[in-house]
């Protein structure tokens, strides 16, 4: 324990006794720090860097860095340090520079957060708070009196909070961009519906024109409905009020329905559309949420056709590792590497300045992902720009119990 030098006014016959009491108080003070989960220490500057001595180090150092107080030396500590973040601008990052300025009396309070890699490979954040100790006789700074605190948990919470904030502001930015664009997204099909309905009612239009107008009206209404449905659905997903309704689902029949729905669109674009169901099992009946599987499939296949100019779109499923694995492959434009981490985010659309943005809300994949995860599965993809994409998703292979 550091010896407390008696001030002059204590130079009386009780001085020794008072000094002892003060030293005991110092011990108690160290104990109080240890009790607050801090590790107290004293440090005496040596003649150069890494030549200092740690003394009176609290026993908590064992839990903090895996060494006993007597094993804790400056070279050992310096070797563990990966990063020093001073808590104020007047404290230098480099340990050697801090040492010099503390000795010169330029730093009265040293505070820094230090990232260490402990001997057993665990990374820890330590807060080092110290004040200089001055020799009463010479007035020179001879060392430090400090406390190490383990702030790893606190740091991790802050890092997670930062990430969550970043995600929230990113999703907020996307949502704002979408909302700004929404009037345009809604007005385009609405204008088409109003305009072509008026034309339809005008005399003198021949049958072919009328058929064409009617097609445009149907397409625009579908698109408008899709926008409204997607926005309503994503709000329900975000509010966590979407429920899973489990009943028997015949996958082969579902695939036929999906195929029938997209075949006219594929024909229109001259794209081959094919599907494949496992031949060894003619009827696959699982217990799951039929609407959510159907919707996920149609969102992904809809994209596959939308982003493919020529070639084919194929979809199918197989039973793999006890799960049902679906695939949807296309020979379309693919997804550039920089967009790949983002395409499941709500409202995200990988726009390219060279191509006209196809119709869409940027919600299809996020809805599919939310549905698939609600069903207990996962979704992923592989994509090569200019070559095409393959989307995969799984759901549990849950069958009806046969007694
Ligand atoms: P959108 O309504 O724009 O289709 P999605 O959430 O379904 O929204 O898809 C997000 C983005 O991912 C799309 O805008 C597109 O850039 C990209 N994308 C999705 N599927 C494909 C695909 N098969 N080929 C190329 N790009 C795709």
């Amino acid at each position: 324990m550091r010896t407390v030098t008696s001030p002059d006014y204590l130079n009386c016959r009780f001085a020794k006794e008072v000094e002892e009491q003060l030293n005991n108080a110092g011990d108690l003070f160290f104990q109080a720090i240890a009790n607050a989960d801090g590790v107290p220490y004293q440090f005496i500057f040596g003649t150069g860097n890494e030549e200092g001595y740690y003394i009176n180090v609290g026993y908590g150092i064992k839990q903090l860095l895996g060494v006993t107080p007597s094993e804790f030396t400056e070279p050992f500590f310096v070797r563990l340090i990966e990063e020093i973040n001073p808590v104020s601008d007047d404290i230098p990052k480099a340990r050697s520079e801090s040492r010099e300025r503390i000795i010169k009396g330029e730093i009265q309070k040293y505070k820094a957060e230090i990232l260490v890699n402990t001997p057993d490979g665990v990374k820890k954040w330590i807060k080092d708070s110290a004040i200089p100790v001055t020799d009463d006789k010479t007035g020179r700074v001879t060392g430090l009196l400090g406390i190490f605190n383990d702030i790893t948990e606190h740091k991790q919470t802050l890092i997670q909070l930062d990430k969550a904030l970043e995600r929230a502001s990113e999703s907020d930015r996307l949502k704002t961009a979408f909302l700004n664009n929404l009037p345009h997204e809604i007005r385009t099909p609405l204008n088409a519906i109003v305009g072509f309905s008026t034309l339809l009612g005008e005399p003198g239009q021949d049958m072919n024109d009328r058929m064409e107008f009617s097609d445009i009206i149907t397409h625009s209404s579908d698109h408008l409905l899709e926008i409204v449905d997607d926005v309503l659905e994503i709000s329900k997903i975000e509010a966590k009020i979407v429920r899973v309704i489990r009943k028997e689902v015949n996958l082969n029949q579902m695939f036929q329905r999906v195929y029938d729905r997209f075949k006219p669109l594929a024909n229109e674009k001259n794209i081959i559309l094919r599907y494949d169901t496992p031949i060894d099992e003619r009827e696959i009946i699982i217990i799951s949420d039929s609407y959510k599987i159907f919707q996920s499939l149609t969102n992904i296949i809809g994209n596959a056709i939308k982003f493919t100019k020529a070639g084919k779109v194929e979809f199918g499923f197989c039973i793999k590792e006890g799960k049902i694995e679906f695939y949807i492959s296309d020979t379309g434009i693919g997804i550039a590497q920089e967009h790949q981490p983002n395409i499941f985010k709500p409202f995200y659309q990988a726009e390219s300045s060279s191509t006209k943005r196809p119709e869409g809300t940027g919600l299809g994949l996020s809805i599919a992902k939310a549905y698939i995860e609600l069903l207990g599965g996962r979704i992923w993809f592989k994509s090569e720009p200019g070559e095409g994409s393959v989307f995969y998703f799984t759901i549990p292979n849950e069958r009806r119990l046969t007694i």
Side-chain angles (χ1 to χ4, degrees):
M1 180 81 257
R2 185 172 76 118
T3 311
V4 180
T5 316
S6 318
D8 282 347
Y9 67 87
L10 289 175
N11 274 338
C12 58
R13 67 194 169 90
F14 299 116
K16 265 267 95 23
E17 205 178 302
V18 173
E19 193 169 304
E20 237 166 58
Q21 276 173 10
L22 276 174
N23 278 335
N24 289 344
D27 278 339
L28 274 177
F29 196 55
F30 262 43
Q31 280 174 33
I33 293 168
N35 187 41
D37 294 331
V39 180
Y41 68 82
Q42 271 183 271
F43 181 73
I44 299 168
F45 290 118
T47 44
N49 282 322
E50 295 190 37
E51 288 176 1
Y53 303 91
Y54 280 99
I55 55 167
N56 292 321
V57 178
Y59 287 107
I61 198 74
K62 180 86 188 154
Q63 200 185 346
L64 189 65
L65 297 178
V67 285
T68 60
S70 58
E71 287 165 341
F72 184 64
T73 62
E74 192 182 13
F76 166 81
F77 186 42
V78 170
R79 265 200 310 281
L80 305 185
I81 296 176
E82 290 203 342
E83 194 179 322
I84 299 180
N85 292 334
V87 298
S88 59
D89 294 340
D90 55 327
I91 299 173
K93 243 179 138 50
R95 209 175 141 83
S96 53
E97 212 180 312
S98 292
R99 174 186 183 277
E100 262 176 45
R101 293 194 40 205
I102 293 170
I103 292 175
K104 280 189 193 157
E106 289 173 8
I107 295 174
Q108 297 306 322
K109 286 178 188 161
Y110 178 85
K111 274 193 189 171
E113 294 178 348
I114 302 174
L115 177 66
V116 292
N117 191 7
T118 65
D120 38 9
V122 180
K123 300 229 192 254
K124 283 187 178 173
W125 278 99
I126 296 174
K127 183 158 184 189
D128 184 3
S129 320
I131 48 164
V133 175
T134 313
D135 184 317
D136 282 353
K137 290 196 188 90
T138 61
R140 281 178 45 231
V141 175
T142 53
L144 295 167
L145 192 59
I147 306 170
F148 291 136
N149 279 100
D150 187 348
I151 54 162
T152 314
E153 250 177 59
H154 168 74
K155 270 302 237 200
Q156 276 164 352
T157 314
L158 280 183
I159 290 168
Q160 276 164 3
L161 221 68
D162 260 6
K163 278 191 191 150
L165 206 68
E166 210 175 286
R167 277 201 300 272
S169 48
E170 159 80 348
S171 103
D172 220 38
R173 196 183 57 71
L174 291 170
K175 204 178 275 182
T176 310
F178 172 78
L179 288 178
N180 287 341
N181 212 23
L182 194 59
H184 167 77
E185 291 282 351
I186 291 179
R187 204 169 286 139
T188 311
L190 214 53
N191 279 343
I193 295 168
V194 174
F196 286 101
S197 313
T198 314
L199 281 179
L200 209 56
E202 280 181 3
Q205 307 283 1
D206 71 21
M207 202 52 193
N208 282 345
D209 283 347
R210 283 179 197 279
M211 297 260 285
E212 195 188 328
F213 298 161
S214 151
D215 275 355
I216 295 171
I217 293 168
T218 312
H219 171 79
S220 301
S221 317
D222 286 349
H223 181 49
L224 199 58
L225 258 176
E226 194 188 316
I227 296 173
V228 174
D229 281 349
D230 279 1
V231 172
L232 287 179
E233 204 50 38
I234 202 78
S235 344
K236 281 200 243 160
I237 289 169
E238 284 184 355
K240 297 194 179 356
I241 52 172
V242 177
R243 296 277 164 263
V244 173
I245 301 163
R246 284 177 211 279
K247 54 182 187 336
E248 286 187 1
V249 186
N250 185 322
L251 286 180
N252 294 31
Q253 282 173 12
M254 181 186 284
F255 268 51
Q256 184 63 46
R257 253 194 321 135
V258 174
Y259 177 81
D260 292 343
R261 174 169 173 170
F262 283 107
K263 187 65 184 146
L265 186 60
N267 284 348
E268 216 176 275
K269 291 188 74 175
N270 248 329
I271 294 170
I272 299 164
L273 181 68
R274 258 203 304 257
Y275 77 95
D276 189 21
T277 49
I279 31 166
D280 50 335
E281 290 192 60
R282 297 194 67 77
E283 292 282 277
I284 295 203
I285 297 173
I286 58 164
I287 306 292
S288 194
D289 188 322
S290 165
Y291 172 79
K292 291 188 177 58
I293 303 174
F294 183 80
Q295 211 54 41
S296 304
L297 271 173
T298 53
N299 287 0
I300 302 168
I301 296 169
N303 278 343
I305 297 178
K306 184 163 70 174
F307 295 105
T308 300
K309 288 195 188 77
K312 54 182 189 245
V313 169
E314 291 177 304
F315 60 103
F317 68 91
C318 61
I319 295 167
K320 214 172 180 180
E321 291 163 9
K323 293 189 179 105
I324 303 193
E325 187 176 299
F326 296 81
Y327 68 86
I328 299 99
S329 78
D330 67 60
T331 54
I333 59 170
I335 302 160
Q337 200 68 36
E338 79 248 38
H339 294 300
Q340 294 196 2
N342 298 320
I343 63 158
F344 291 112
K345 287 182 185 164
F347 306 109
Y348 191 90
Q349 292 184 295
E351 284 174 60
S352 144
S353 51
S354 60
T355 54
K356 192 176 149 285
R357 187 161 64 90
E359 276 176 359
T361 55
L363 292 173
L365 285 182
S366 41
I367 292 175
K369 181 171 190 285
Y371 280 171
I372 291 159
E373 287 173 359
L374 267 174
L375 298 181
R378 69 181 192 97
I379 180 166
W380 69 101
F381 69 96
K382 289 181 191 146
S383 185
E384 199 60 56
E387 303 277 319
S389 315
V390 191
F391 280 78
Y392 300 91
F393 69 89
T394 56
I395 55 166
N397 182 9
E398 219 172 280
R399 300 300 179 99
R400 187 181 33 189
L401 277 180
T402 42
I403 307 162

